[in-house]
Amino acid sequence: MTSLYAVLGGTFDPIHYGHTATSEILAEKLNLKKIILLPTYNSLCHNQSIISVQHKVKMIKLAIKNKPLFKINYLEIKKKYLIL
């Protein structure tokens, strides 16, 4: 059986209920195994995020603390670039 994963990228500046709730609905409808959150280092619209990357990651971790469906991928943060 194939496992489906989804990738949700964004600035998450800040992450909010709209990110997690809609993702959970999508996961239920499509029978997704995981949703991978891919936070950007910088915003596409702004030269720099309003909050620090470290603070953004802490907020994301708090938002998904009891949600095993979610996982964070640090690729864009570690490399300091944006994948389009």
Side-chain angles (χ1 to χ4, degrees):
M1 178 180 245
T2 303
S3 297
L4 293 176
Y5 290 73
V7 177
L8 177 62
T11 57
F12 303 115
D13 198 357
I15 191 167
H16 53 77
Y17 187 68
H19 294 118
T20 57
T22 54
S23 296
E24 289 171 325
I25 292 167
L26 180 68
E28 184 179 325
K29 300 283 184 191
L30 298 178
N31 198 28
L32 299 175
K33 183 174 181 176
K34 282 281 181 205
I35 296 179
I36 301 163
L37 300 175
L38 185 66
T40 60
Y41 184 79
N42 281 329
S43 169
L44 189 60
C45 301
H46 307 288
N47 289 336
Q48 189 153 355
S49 293
I50 296 169
I51 58 173
S52 72
V53 174
Q54 294 83 5
H55 189 73
K56 186 187 309 188
V57 169
K58 285 180 186 178
M59 287 192 305
I60 294 169
K61 285 181 179 179
L62 284 172
I64 65 171
K65 183 178 179 182
N66 296 317
K67 299 177 182 286
L69 174 67
F70 294 94
K71 182 179 179 191
I72 304 172
N73 182 293
Y74 301 96
L75 178 67
E76 289 189 13
I77 289 174
K78 287 182 179 178
K79 298 294 183 183
K80 298 183 181 179
Y81 59 80
L82 175 65
I83 299 171
L84 297 175

